[in-house]
Structures are given as structure tokens and as C-alpha cells.
Amino acid sequence: MAMQLRVASVVPSSINEDDRTVELTFTTGATVRRYNWYRDETYEEILSLEPGHVRLDRMNGGAAPVLRDHHNSIDHIVGAVQSASIGNGAGTCVVKMDSGDEQADRIWRQIKDGMIRSVSVGYRIHKIEITREEGKTPIYRAVDWEPYEVSLVAVPADAGAGVRDGGNVVPVEIIDLARGAEGKEDEGMTTPNNAPAQEQNTRSVGNAGGSSVNPAPVAGSDQMNVDQVRNEAIESERQRISEINALVDAHAGLDSEFARSHITAGTAIAEVRAAALTALGNKDAETGVRTKIEVGKSFDDPTEIRAAMVNALGHSMAPNVIKLEGMGQKFRAYTPLGFAEESLAMKGITAESRSRADIIRAAMHSTSDFPLLLADSGNMVLQKAYELASPVYREIAARKNFSDFRPHSFLTSGDFPELKKLNENGEIKSGTMSEGKEAIKIDTYARKISLTRQLLVNDSLGAFGDFPAIAGRRIAVQENSLVMAVLKANAGKGVNLSDGKPIFHTAHGNLAAAGTAIDVDALSAARAAMRKQKSKDGLPLNVTAKVILVGPDKETEAEKITASILAAATGEVNPFSGKLMVVTDAEIDGNAWYTFADPDMVDVLAYGYLNGNEAPMMAVKEGWDTDGMEFRVIHDFAAGATGSQGAYLNTGA
């Protein structure tokens, strides 16, 4: 049986900073609803915590790793399970986190700060007892199961999810208690080469590769289905190996070790092609000789088909934003039901003779790519619409980088000390650079909506089709409001800085003594005040005004003063013609107007994202509280003030 996933949790009070250990609760034995594809049956899975029912040898023997996002490779190991135990109705384990490099330290810091709270546990079931009662959902009780690994994840695993691990399966014994007096019979359940789990009436089953024990044939359709799936799995594996060997034979830069590693790992052929390009590219860099490799797109490749479906679905949501390309043309007329059927077909599951409700129910299950298809197409539209929104704040605020959720301080103009002339001995004198005092902290914003199963069964995306584009534009508007709120605080004078005074203050030399209209004299005073700004060491900064920021009530007035006018006399020349860019925003109230320098030269306002993630992200999962699918949009964003030297305020008239 393939590895299953369940949500686990960090126990914050258990953190030992000296030993870099923390305790996880990897199971409470809770009931999880799952789905048996071949019996078309929903069931409740219970992990028994009774003595002898949980195999903890791996966890207590140092063989259970702590991974990142369930990536089963050495490069993704970030720790190891030290010990595990069952007691008080729960399974807990103590894990030791890696140390010694920047990534390990960052992960440990995020655990301590509570930024990483989501943990997912991978486990395998070796023996199941099935209980059936008329009119009730069957109960599959795992009475022999084994935790294999724990993973730190950004989003916890869906309770019904299973790791699709390329056919790495183990036999499972199934005891159907409903047979009662007729006697119990062991059954085997396997999931060869990512095929859905199914049952057969035999006592033991070989592995996915077809070696090991051959079961004695038993009459009945179940046995025939298992044999057919196994034969297809074997043939598929032979084809995969053949294609890998052919790829290696065709390129001198690839060797037998490349083939062996990917054959052993069960790597999909599309991923092997990508790895081949990377390997040959690295070899080019080492030798200086460019290797020519032609690995064209295969239109039978599930990866290419899925990408085309994402493109087509994104185009149907926002035809003016997403262009239909390549294979996407094939799916341009597909309805949601059509996409659901295609997603099932890619997994070898036929929709023939199934009702609409059955197709949608099957497609919503985590084994299908349908949820990911909706998420990827939604993200494509969401991020494109967000990118095209171009909010005003980006004209006047500087972008900063944020590595985590702690307050960040940034240096401002003039913080670097003045250079000194070298004396005859060539001695370079030391200087100090003060640390910025204005701190900005990144925050997380999120919301979720639901798409009902009824809407999908009715074969309509309804309002969801517009949701990603609207969300992208709405988030850009919200960002603009957050930045403008920094400017509008204290009746338009801006938030208080570390000196206790607002951004615009007479002590900062950037506030007009009285409000005036936008004219040559007022703009001259603003420009002069910005030119006269000095560094902390008293050096003039010569700040140049680039933008004049106004609200709707002052837009025409600002455009008049910056327009090009052909003067008949010297005294009528407009000195500001073409020298200031007018930026208008409805967030600016009344008659107030501002001048700003180029934010890349001298910044006053700043914004940023977490670790360079410049756009909001959408995730999707099968609904638990609602009958349908839940879509979550999450965005990390920061807005704040960094200083006062690069802007000027006139309260207007």
C-alpha cells in the first residue's frame, strides 16, 4: 500500500534550543475519511493506538528522517527522529533539527518563532480490519501500521491525501470482519505505479515490480482486476526504463550512473528529461563545450497535457488576461465536467457509466489532479491580474526585501560616513555607520471562499470564473491602501518616526508653513526645501523632486502647472514644464499635495514581500466544513516609513 499522509503538530512548549530538539504529536488516532477507488466506496480510517498496533522501530532506531515537503532525497533531510512513544491517546516523537548552515538555521528559527507550525507525517499500513454495518460508512481500522517520516510543510497535508511515490508500495493484509462465521480471509491491497488502491482475495501479494511472491489465482473479478493492473504496471515500468536507457545512449554526456539512479528512484520520464538537460548543462559549464540535446515536447506526456489544461482553464476564466497557447487549443471548449473527466483519465480512471455527481466526487478527491488544476489556473489568472493592476504606491515607495516576519530596519541616505583624505602614511581611518531606526514588519493577509459541489455538478464555474482576476486586482488596491495609510496618518502628515514626530514636520524641514495652491512659488519652495536636506553628518543631499502626488480635487491644477507652455515673454516661462510627473490617487483627501524624490534614490515610504514572493498565492483542498472545494488566498506584505528626507508636504488651499 502506498504511503499515506496525516496532519501533525509541533508542541511549542517542548522546544529545547540548546539541543535543537522539538516534540511532535504525529497521531491522535482520529478518524479520517478516505476513498477506495476500485470499490467506489468512501470509508472511515482509524489508526489504532493499542499496544502492538504501531511499529515504532524506525522512529526509535534513527531510521525516520525529518524532510522538507515530503521530498524523499538526501538534499531535503533537515533533521531526524530521535525517539517515539504511544501514550495518553496520542503518538509523539522527539526530533532533532540539523545545524551548521544558513538554511538549517533559518528553518530552526522559523520553528522557534512559530512560523513553521504545519507538520505532515507519512506512514504505511500493513494490516486493516474492516467493519461494515447496514446504512453506515465502513470503518477501516489499521491494526498494524508504521510511521516512516515527518515533514515540515507550508500547508499541512489534506487528511485524505496519500503520497504518490512511483509505485513504492508494501503488501497490506485486510480482514473483512463482516464475513463472521464464514471465517476471515486475508486480502492484499497494493497501489502499483500510482494506480489507486484495490483489494484482492489472496493471502500475500508481490511488490509493484512484479517480483516477489506470486499469489494463487482466485476466481472473481477482483483477482482479474489486480492481475490486469499489475501487468499494465509492469509494462509501463519496462517502457520507462527503455526510454531512460535510450536517452542515455543518445547523449555522450550521460552515463550509466545517471540511468541507474533514475531507474531506481522511479523518476517519471518527463522529470528524467529535465534532469538530463540540467546534467548536460552542468557538464557544458565544466568543459566549456556546448552539448546539443534535443528533447522535444511529447504530446502524450501527462505533464504537457496538464499544462495545456491549466492554460485553457485560465483562458476561460480571463480571456483578456491569459492567452490560449499550443495544446491549450484542444481544451478551449471544455466545461468543468470535461476537465474533471480528463483529470481522472490521466490517472487511468474511466468516467464511463458514471453520473455527473460521481465524476465530480471522484475528481475532487486528492488522488486526482483536478484540485491542482483549479489551483494552478486560478493562480495564473490571479497573479497576472495582480501584475497588471499597477497601483499608485509603487511610484512613490521603495521596495525592500524581508527574510522573515521580524521587524526590519533599513539604512537611509547619509548613513554612510564621509570619506577622509589619506595622509602620507596611507592610513585609512575607521568610521561608523548608524543603523536605521525606522522598523517595518511584514504581515500576512488571507481569505478563503468555497466552490460547492452542486455548482460543479451543474457544470458551471459560476462566480469562481471571475474570482481569481477580481482577487488579483483587489489585493493590489488593498496594498495601495496600506501604503497610503502610512502617509495619511496624523491628518496627512504621516506616521510618527522614531524621533516621535510625523514624517512631515517643521523640524524635518519638509512641511510648508501654510497651505497654498499648486503654483510656481509653492513648487519652488518645495523644491528648495528638498535640495537643502542634509545627511546625519551635515552633508547636503541635493534631493531632486520627481513626483507630485495629489488627490482627485487637485489633479487638474497639478497638470496645468506641469504642462508645456510656449511663452511669449521670458517672465511667462513655466520652469516646471516636463520636470514633475503627476500621480493622482483617490486615497489623498482634499487639497493636500506632496512632492517625492525617486524612491530608488531617497526613500520615504517602503513596501516589500516575504522572501521575494511578489504575488499572492492560491491553494485549494477538498472542503471539510462545506460540500465542495475550498480556495484560500494568502499574501505576505509590508508597508511603512523609512525617513523624511525624500518628500515635502503642502497642506493646500
Side-chain angles (χ1 to χ4, degrees):
M1 191 173 186
M3 188 181 292
Q4 302 283 86
L5 301 182
R6 283 206 183 196
V7 175
S9 61
V10 175
V11 182
S13 61
S14 69
I15 293 174
N16 185 321
E17 190 163 355
D18 293 335
D19 294 339
R20 290 175 80 100
T21 61
V22 64
E23 183 178 298
L24 307 178
T25 299
F26 66 85
T27 182
T28 58
T31 300
V32 171
R33 176 157 293 193
R34 297 196 186 277
Y35 188 73
N36 184 332
W37 287 96
Y38 282 88
R39 285 194 171 180
D40 193 19
E41 174 180 77
T42 298
Y43 64 92
E44 304 285 358
E45 180 190 88
I46 298 175
L47 299 179
S48 173
L49 299 181
E50 294 183 13
H53 287 185
V54 188
R55 302 186 187 185
L56 297 178
D57 294 346
R58 282 179 176 269
M59 285 192 158
N60 287 320
V66 180
L67 305 174
R68 285 192 292 115
D69 298 311
H70 295 291
H71 287 292
N72 188 14
S73 72
I74 294 175
D75 292 339
H76 288 81
I77 294 177
V78 296
V81 178
Q82 287 190 319
S83 62
S85 61
I86 303 293
N88 298 321
T92 59
C93 63
V94 175
V95 302
K96 183 177 179 64
M97 302 306 298
D98 191 13
S99 63
D101 60 42
E102 182 179 348
Q103 176 179 279
D105 292 341
R106 177 175 61 83
I107 291 175
W108 178 241
R109 184 174 64 251
Q110 288 176 317
I111 292 174
K112 292 190 298 179
D113 292 345
M115 297 301 105
I116 294 181
R117 305 177 185 178
S118 299
V119 180
S120 182
V121 173
Y123 62 95
R124 297 187 188 277
I125 297 175
H126 300 280
K127 185 176 182 180
I128 295 176
E129 290 181 350
I130 301 177
T131 302
R132 304 181 189 277
E133 294 184 27
E134 186 68 27
K136 295 184 179 181
T137 302
I139 296 175
Y140 286 38
R141 183 167 177 261
V143 294
D144 183 2
W145 61 281
E146 181 177 14
Y148 266 58
E149 52 91 358
V150 293
S151 285
L152 304 177
V153 294
V155 180
D158 172 38
V163 176
R164 290 170 289 184
D165 56 359
N168 184 13
V169 298
V170 297
V172 58
E173 179 184 356
I174 295 182
I175 302 173
D176 196 330
L177 301 179
R179 294 174 180 168
E182 296 180 6
K184 64 181 181 180
E185 182 174 324
D186 299 343
E187 292 179 328
M189 180 184 292
T190 65
T191 54
N193 284 349
N194 296 334
Q198 68 173 320
E199 301 173 29
Q200 73 177 55
N201 296 321
T202 60
R203 285 198 171 270
S204 60
V205 178
N207 60 21
S211 57
S212 196
V213 180
N214 291 321
V218 179
S221 60
D222 282 351
Q223 178 62 43
M224 294 173 62
N225 287 339
V226 171
D227 291 342
Q228 181 181 359
V229 169
R230 180 183 291 108
N231 291 337
E232 291 175 354
I234 294 172
E235 181 58 33
S236 174
E237 178 65 4
R238 287 172 178 165
Q239 180 66 25
R240 186 183 72 88
I241 294 172
S242 176
E243 291 188 36
I244 292 174
N245 287 330
L247 184 63
V248 171
D249 291 341
H251 301 285
L254 303 177
D255 54 22
S256 59
E257 176 59 25
F258 176 89
R260 187 200 63 75
S261 63
H262 287 288
I263 289 172
T264 303
T267 312
I269 190 63
E271 296 178 13
V272 175
R273 293 192 184 104
L277 287 172
T278 301
L280 290 170
N282 292 338
K283 194 169 290 293
D284 290 346
E286 294 173 3
T287 62
V289 179
R290 181 167 180 78
T291 304
K292 182 179 180 181
I293 177 171
E294 297 180 359
V295 183
K297 291 184 178 180
S298 169
F299 295 110
D300 294 327
D301 186 346
T303 303
E304 298 295 338
I305 295 174
R306 185 175 174 279
M309 292 169 65
V310 169
N311 173 247
L313 185 52
H315 175 75
S316 68
M317 293 179 183
N320 295 326
V321 175
I322 304 301
K323 180 182 178 182
L324 198 62
E325 297 176 332
M327 283 181 64
Q329 297 282 348
K330 173 183 176 181
F331 303 103
R332 68 179 307 157
Y334 271 46
T335 63
L337 188 66
F339 284 115
E341 290 179 347
E342 192 71 27
S343 297
L344 293 174
M346 290 173 64
K347 297 299 178 184
I349 304 169
T350 178
E352 188 176 344
S353 302
R354 288 176 179 252
S355 67
R356 284 187 173 189
D358 286 342
I359 293 172
I360 293 299
R361 182 181 66 176
M364 284 168 52
H365 193 274
S366 58
T367 303
S368 164
D369 278 344
F370 187 59
L372 296 178
L373 180 66
L374 290 176
D376 287 353
S377 57
N379 269 315
M380 178 186 292
V381 176
L382 170 68
Q383 293 174 15
K384 189 66 175 178
Y386 172 80
E387 177 185 336
L388 294 174
S390 298
V392 167
Y393 75 85
R394 294 177 187 169
E395 299 291 346
I396 60 173
R399 177 177 166 178
K400 305 292 185 180
N401 293 321
F402 292 79
S403 58
D404 51 42
F405 290 93
R406 293 176 297 179
H408 285 54
S409 297
F410 302 97
L411 297 177
T412 57
S413 296
D415 286 330
F416 193 86
E418 178 187 9
L419 300 183
K420 298 293 185 181
K421 183 178 179 180
L422 291 179
N423 57 28
E424 294 180 357
N425 297 325
E427 178 186 358
I428 300 176
K429 296 184 178 180
S430 298
T432 59
M433 188 167 63
S434 57
E435 183 179 353
K437 296 181 180 179
E438 313 306 331
I440 304 176
K441 179 179 177 296
I442 202 161
D443 293 304
T444 299
Y445 302 86
R447 206 64 184 264
K448 71 176 181 179
I449 67 167
S450 298
L451 181 65
T452 65
R453 184 169 60 91
Q454 288 81 359
L455 198 63
L456 291 171
V457 171
N458 292 339
D459 211 13
S460 171
L461 286 178
F464 176 77
D466 299 325
F467 159 65
I470 293 174
R473 294 191 291 268
R474 177 66 181 85
I475 292 168
V477 171
Q478 184 175 359
E479 287 181 352
N480 196 69
S481 295
L482 291 170
V483 176
M484 291 301 173
V486 177
L487 196 64
K488 291 167 59 181
N490 290 318
K493 293 182 174 64
V495 297
N496 288 341
L497 299 178
S498 57
D499 61 3
K501 299 178 179 64
I503 297 173
F504 301 98
H505 193 276
T506 54
H508 295 156
N510 62 358
L511 177 64
T516 66
I518 307 174
D519 56 25
V520 171
D521 290 340
L523 279 174
S524 295
R527 180 166 65 176
M530 293 179 68
R531 288 279 190 192
K532 294 175 183 177
Q533 289 287 342
K534 295 183 178 181
S535 71
K536 295 177 181 179
D537 296 327
L539 297 176
L541 295 177
N542 272 314
V543 179
T544 304
K546 176 186 177 182
V547 171
I548 177 169
L549 173 67
V550 298
D553 296 332
K554 285 287 184 177
E555 184 172 10
T556 302
E557 188 175 315
E559 289 180 341
K560 284 182 178 180
I561 194 64
T562 57
S564 298
I565 299 176
L566 184 61
T570 303
E572 298 175 1
V573 172
N574 176 12
F576 295 101
S577 174
K579 292 187 177 180
L580 288 173
M581 178 175 65
V582 177
V583 174
T584 307
D585 195 286
E587 295 276 359
I588 306 301
D589 301 321
N591 296 323
W593 53 275
Y594 304 79
T595 54
F596 279 87
D598 185 334
D600 291 333
M601 301 300 293
V602 184
D603 53 87
V604 173
L605 304 175
Y607 69 96
Y609 312 94
L610 182 65
N611 293 326
N613 294 325
E614 300 181 11
M617 292 295 295
M618 179 189 296
V620 61
K621 71 171 185 175
E622 184 179 355
W624 186 256
D625 297 325
T626 59
D627 182 20
M629 307 189 77
E630 293 180 354
F631 295 83
R632 183 190 70 178
V633 176
I634 190 166
H635 189 40
D636 299 313
F637 184 75
T642 57
S644 62
Q645 298 164 322
Y648 182 90
L649 166 64
N650 187 308
T651 54

